[in-house]
PDB file of all heavy atoms in Angstrom:
ATOM      1  N   TRP A  51       1.908   3.590 -13.617  1.00 96.00           N
ATOM      2  CA  TRP A  51       2.631   3.783 -12.302  1.00 96.00           C
ATOM      3  C   TRP A  51       2.635   2.703 -11.347  1.00 96.00           C
ATOM      4  O   TRP A  51       3.209   2.812 -10.213  1.00 96.00           O
ATOM      5  CB  TRP A  51       2.184   5.043 -11.663  1.00 96.00           C
ATOM      6  CG  TRP A  51       0.700   5.132 -11.409  1.00 96.00           C
ATOM      7  CD1 TRP A  51      -0.312   5.693 -12.246  1.00 96.00           C
ATOM      8  CD2 TRP A  51      -0.013   4.728 -10.217  1.00 96.00           C
ATOM      9  NE1 TRP A  51      -1.491   5.557 -11.609  1.00 96.00           N
ATOM     10  CE2 TRP A  51      -1.364   5.036 -10.314  1.00 96.00           C
ATOM     11  CE3 TRP A  51       0.454   4.175  -9.045  1.00 96.00           C
ATOM     12  CZ2 TRP A  51      -2.303   4.718  -9.407  1.00 96.00           C
ATOM     13  CZ3 TRP A  51      -0.479   3.904  -8.065  1.00 96.00           C
ATOM     14  CH2 TRP A  51      -1.807   4.087  -8.300  1.00 96.00           C
ATOM     15  N   ARG A  52       1.986   1.603 -11.708  1.00 95.00           N
ATOM     16  CA  ARG A  52       1.972   0.463 -10.811  1.00 95.00           C
ATOM     17  C   ARG A  52       3.325  -0.077 -10.314  1.00 95.00           C
ATOM     18  O   ARG A  52       3.480  -0.422  -9.152  1.00 95.00           O
ATOM     19  CB  ARG A  52       1.177  -0.651 -11.487  1.00 95.00           C
ATOM     20  CG  ARG A  52       1.066  -1.908 -10.621  1.00 95.00           C
ATOM     21  CD  ARG A  52       0.429  -3.074 -11.354  1.00 95.00           C
ATOM     22  NE  ARG A  52       1.408  -3.580 -12.391  1.00 95.00           N
ATOM     23  CZ  ARG A  52       1.034  -4.145 -13.479  1.00 95.00           C
ATOM     24  NH1 ARG A  52      -0.259  -4.414 -13.780  1.00 95.00           N
ATOM     25  NH2 ARG A  52       1.915  -4.556 -14.343  1.00 95.00           N
ATOM     26  N   ALA A  53       4.281  -0.056 -11.212  1.00 93.00           N
ATOM     27  CA  ALA A  53       5.650  -0.562 -10.814  1.00 93.00           C
ATOM     28  C   ALA A  53       6.185   0.284  -9.702  1.00 93.00           C
ATOM     29  O   ALA A  53       7.115  -0.263  -9.000  1.00 93.00           O
ATOM     30  CB  ALA A  53       6.537  -0.516 -12.095  1.00 93.00           C
ATOM     31  N   SER A  54       5.904   1.524  -9.511  1.00 95.00           N
ATOM     32  CA  SER A  54       6.393   2.320  -8.424  1.00 95.00           C
ATOM     33  C   SER A  54       5.955   1.903  -7.007  1.00 95.00           C
ATOM     34  O   SER A  54       6.535   2.220  -6.082  1.00 95.00           O
ATOM     35  CB  SER A  54       6.102   3.822  -8.638  1.00 95.00           C
ATOM     36  OG  SER A  54       4.711   4.069  -8.435  1.00 95.00           O
ATOM     37  N   VAL A  55       4.903   0.977  -7.051  1.00 95.00           N
ATOM     38  CA  VAL A  55       4.361   0.486  -5.815  1.00 95.00           C
ATOM     39  C   VAL A  55       4.890  -0.864  -5.438  1.00 95.00           C
ATOM     40  O   VAL A  55       5.003  -1.256  -4.342  1.00 95.00           O
ATOM     41  CB  VAL A  55       2.832   0.409  -5.907  1.00 95.00           C
ATOM     42  CG1 VAL A  55       2.225  -0.024  -4.627  1.00 95.00           C
ATOM     43  CG2 VAL A  55       2.261   1.831  -6.135  1.00 95.00           C
ATOM     44  N   GLY A  56       5.222  -1.637  -6.482  1.00 93.00           N
ATOM     45  CA  GLY A  56       5.827  -2.914  -6.237  1.00 93.00           C
ATOM     46  C   GLY A  56       5.545  -3.973  -7.411  1.00 93.00           C
ATOM     47  O   GLY A  56       4.881  -3.572  -8.342  1.00 93.00           O
ATOM     48  N   GLN A  57       6.011  -5.073  -7.226  1.00 91.00           N
ATOM     49  CA  GLN A  57       5.830  -6.188  -8.232  1.00 91.00           C
ATOM     50  C   GLN A  57       4.606  -7.030  -7.784  1.00 91.00           C
ATOM     51  O   GLN A  57       4.376  -7.278  -6.613  1.00 91.00           O
ATOM     52  CB  GLN A  57       7.056  -7.111  -8.262  1.00 91.00           C
ATOM     53  CG  GLN A  57       8.260  -6.473  -8.764  1.00 91.00           C
ATOM     54  CD  GLN A  57       8.195  -5.965 -10.082  1.00 91.00           C
ATOM     55  OE1 GLN A  57       7.785  -6.714 -10.981  1.00 91.00           O
ATOM     56  NE2 GLN A  57       8.621  -4.793 -10.403  1.00 91.00           N
ATOM     57  N   MET A  58       3.793  -7.432  -8.785  1.00 91.00           N
ATOM     58  CA  MET A  58       2.607  -8.232  -8.494  1.00 91.00           C
ATOM     59  C   MET A  58       3.030  -9.649  -8.004  1.00 91.00           C
ATOM     60  O   MET A  58       3.934 -10.159  -8.616  1.00 91.00           O
ATOM     61  CB  MET A  58       1.728  -8.391  -9.689  1.00 91.00           C
ATOM     62  CG  MET A  58       1.020  -7.075  -9.915  1.00 91.00           C
ATOM     63  SD  MET A  58      -0.428  -7.123 -11.120  1.00 91.00           S
ATOM     64  CE  MET A  58      -0.223  -8.533 -12.038  1.00 91.00           C
ATOM     65  N   VAL A  59       2.469 -10.079  -7.036  1.00 88.00           N
ATOM     66  CA  VAL A  59       2.660 -11.418  -6.453  1.00 88.00           C
ATOM     67  C   VAL A  59       1.307 -12.097  -6.274  1.00 88.00           C
ATOM     68  O   VAL A  59       0.305 -11.527  -6.214  1.00 88.00           O
ATOM     69  CB  VAL A  59       3.469 -11.458  -5.121  1.00 88.00           C
ATOM     70  CG1 VAL A  59       4.824 -10.841  -5.359  1.00 88.00           C
ATOM     71  CG2 VAL A  59       2.704 -10.654  -4.008  1.00 88.00           C
ATOM     72  N   ASP A  60       1.377 -13.452  -6.142  1.00 87.00           N
ATOM     73  CA  ASP A  60       0.118 -14.215  -5.911  1.00 87.00           C
ATOM     74  C   ASP A  60      -0.393 -13.907  -4.578  1.00 87.00           C
ATOM     75  O   ASP A  60       0.270 -14.060  -3.663  1.00 87.00           O
ATOM     76  CB  ASP A  60       0.536 -15.696  -6.037  1.00 87.00           C
ATOM     77  CG  ASP A  60      -0.680 -16.648  -5.658  1.00 87.00           C
ATOM     78  OD1 ASP A  60      -1.723 -16.208  -5.831  1.00 87.00           O
ATOM     79  OD2 ASP A  60      -0.408 -17.783  -5.303  1.00 87.00           O
ATOM     80  N   PRO A  61      -1.643 -13.386  -4.535  1.00 87.00           N
ATOM     81  CA  PRO A  61      -2.184 -13.036  -3.216  1.00 87.00           C
ATOM     82  C   PRO A  61      -2.271 -14.163  -2.202  1.00 87.00           C
ATOM     83  O   PRO A  61      -1.978 -13.921  -0.976  1.00 87.00           O
ATOM     84  CB  PRO A  61      -3.710 -12.682  -3.591  1.00 87.00           C
ATOM     85  CG  PRO A  61      -3.669 -12.208  -5.032  1.00 87.00           C
ATOM     86  CD  PRO A  61      -2.587 -13.066  -5.595  1.00 87.00           C
ATOM     87  N   ALA A  62      -2.572 -15.400  -2.577  1.00 82.00           N
ATOM     88  CA  ALA A  62      -2.571 -16.574  -1.678  1.00 82.00           C
ATOM     89  C   ALA A  62      -1.194 -16.769  -0.992  1.00 82.00           C
ATOM     90  O   ALA A  62      -1.039 -16.923   0.213  1.00 82.00           O
ATOM     91  CB  ALA A  62      -3.037 -17.772  -2.318  1.00 82.00           C
ATOM     92  N   MET A  63      -0.099 -16.589  -1.819  1.00 79.00           N
ATOM     93  CA  MET A  63       1.251 -16.725  -1.324  1.00 79.00           C
ATOM     94  C   MET A  63       1.596 -15.596  -0.413  1.00 79.00           C
ATOM     95  O   MET A  63       2.194 -15.790   0.672  1.00 79.00           O
ATOM     96  CB  MET A  63       2.235 -16.887  -2.460  1.00 79.00           C
ATOM     97  CG  MET A  63       3.642 -17.210  -1.976  1.00 79.00           C
ATOM     98  SD  MET A  63       4.836 -17.394  -3.322  1.00 79.00           S
ATOM     99  CE  MET A  63       4.107 -16.993  -4.794  1.00 79.00           C
ATOM    100  N   ALA A  64       1.375 -14.366  -0.847  1.00 78.00           N
ATOM    101  CA  ALA A  64       1.757 -13.150  -0.178  1.00 78.00           C
ATOM    102  C   ALA A  64       1.046 -12.939   1.164  1.00 78.00           C
ATOM    103  O   ALA A  64       1.652 -12.437   2.132  1.00 78.00           O
ATOM    104  CB  ALA A  64       1.637 -11.915  -1.073  1.00 78.00           C
ATOM    105  N   LEU A  65      -0.254 -13.256   1.107  1.00 76.00           N
ATOM    106  CA  LEU A  65      -0.957 -13.032   2.374  1.00 76.00           C
ATOM    107  C   LEU A  65      -1.120 -14.166   3.325  1.00 76.00           C
ATOM    108  O   LEU A  65      -1.807 -14.144   4.354  1.00 76.00           O
ATOM    109  CB  LEU A  65      -2.418 -12.556   1.952  1.00 76.00           C
ATOM    110  CG  LEU A  65      -2.449 -11.302   1.096  1.00 76.00           C
ATOM    111  CD1 LEU A  65      -3.901 -11.028   0.624  1.00 76.00           C
ATOM    112  CD2 LEU A  65      -1.952 -10.085   1.858  1.00 76.00           C
ATOM    113  N   ALA A  66      -0.279 -15.195   3.092  1.00 72.00           N
ATOM    114  CA  ALA A  66      -0.259 -16.341   3.927  1.00 72.00           C
ATOM    115  C   ALA A  66       0.391 -15.946   5.315  1.00 72.00           C
ATOM    116  O   ALA A  66       1.148 -14.922   5.335  1.00 72.00           O
ATOM    117  CB  ALA A  66       0.565 -17.399   3.337  1.00 72.00           C
ATOM    118  N   ALA A  67       0.019 -16.585   6.393  1.00 60.00           N
ATOM    119  CA  ALA A  67       0.621 -16.230   7.652  1.00 60.00           C
ATOM    120  C   ALA A  67       2.079 -16.208   7.639  1.00 60.00           C
ATOM    121  O   ALA A  67       2.644 -17.180   7.053  1.00 60.00           O
ATOM    122  CB  ALA A  67      -0.026 -17.199   8.739  1.00 60.00           C
TER     123      ALA A  67
END
Side-chain angles (χ1 to χ4, degrees):
W51 54 271
R52 179 184 68 206
S54 72
V55 179
Q57 297 293 317
M58 288 194 342
V59 294
D60 177 25
M63 183 180 6
L65 299 174

